[in-house]
Amino acid sequence: MQHSPVSLQACPSDPALRAMFEARKRVFVDLLKWNVPVLDDAYEIDQFDTPDASYLVLTDGEGRHRASARLLRTDGAHILGELFPCLCDGPIPSRYDFREITRFCIEPTLSRFERRTARDQLVTALADHALKTGLSGYTAVANRVWFRQIESFGWQCRTLGGGCRIDGEDLVALQIDIDCDTPDDLARGGIYRKGAYRVAEAASEVVS
């Protein structure tokens, strides 16, 4: 029997996660005008924020959000598999050692230089996290403009299909393979930049 994912019913008490969900609301709802759920008119939390989700979060010295990304298991409920399977020409990657990158979020109040630094540090954190935890790669859904930027970082990145236009956006599914050469590949692309980050989970905050 399959069960529907149990999503967060309240914003977690963890300050880093609260700052992240608040930043997600400001970026994806206020700025990009996505039609996604908002909790308490302040936090962007959807059906994929479940006990299986984990988060890479970068904060400044005072705990303010700088950048973050949500990681979903590809062998469980995730955005590509549930919402956009049409983006894959072949089977949707479903592997225990792959995660789907979603809600890649850079703090909009940062300066242009600070946003670039935060972006590079978040990409670096994704590579380092994969190598540290035995992950072999990531999948994601992105518009084609953002895909070209991701591809230019220097790591092993390819589309999983021709893509299609959905709700006015030209979307593609992509796969990023991670191995021991990835840090050097990102360094050659001018992206690899170490920064402090934490891996957070909201499992203890989820109610059934």
Side-chain angles (χ1 to χ4, degrees), residues 163-202:
C164 59
R165 196 162 188 83
I166 300 175
D167 293 333
E169 281 204 273
D170 188 10
L171 300 180
V172 297
L174 62 98
Q175 178 172 315
I176 301 165
D177 295 312
I178 303 292
D179 60 28
C180 61
D181 294 326
T182 301
D184 288 338
D185 293 340
L186 291 173
R188 281 191 291 272
I191 299 296
Y192 195 79
R193 187 178 304 193
K194 289 272 193 179
Y197 71 93
R198 58 170 294 198
V199 182
E201 296 182 351

Side-chain angles (χ1 to χ4, degrees), residues 15-17 19 57-67 196-198:
L17 287 178
V57 185
L58 281 65
T59 57
D60 63 16
E62 297 181 10
R64 292 179 296 230
H65 176 268
R66 294 180 60 244
Y197 71 93
R198 58 170 294 198

Side-chain angles (χ1 to χ4, degrees), residues 30-89:
D30 298 344
L31 184 62
L32 297 180
K33 308 301 182 184
W34 287 10
N35 183 21
V36 292
V38 175
L39 179 66
D40 296 336
D41 200 32
Y43 309 104
E44 190 273 301
I45 296 176
D46 71 6
Q47 69 269 33
F48 296 100
D49 292 300
T50 73
D52 288 331
S54 58
Y55 308 88
L56 297 186
V57 185
L58 281 65
T59 57
D60 63 16
E62 297 181 10
R64 292 179 296 230
H65 176 268
R66 294 180 60 244
S68 56
R70 179 177 63 187
L71 303 181
L72 302 177
R73 298 184 64 96
T74 61
D75 56 353
H78 63 293
I79 288 177
L80 178 57
E82 300 286 315
L83 303 181
F84 299 108
C86 60
L87 296 178
C88 292
D89 288 347

Side-chain angles (χ1 to χ4, degrees), residues 138-152:
Y138 296 106
T139 60
V141 174
N143 66 47
R144 198 169 294 275
V145 173
W146 180 218
F147 165 72
R148 292 193 186 103
Q149 187 176 155
I150 297 169
E151 186 182 35
S152 73

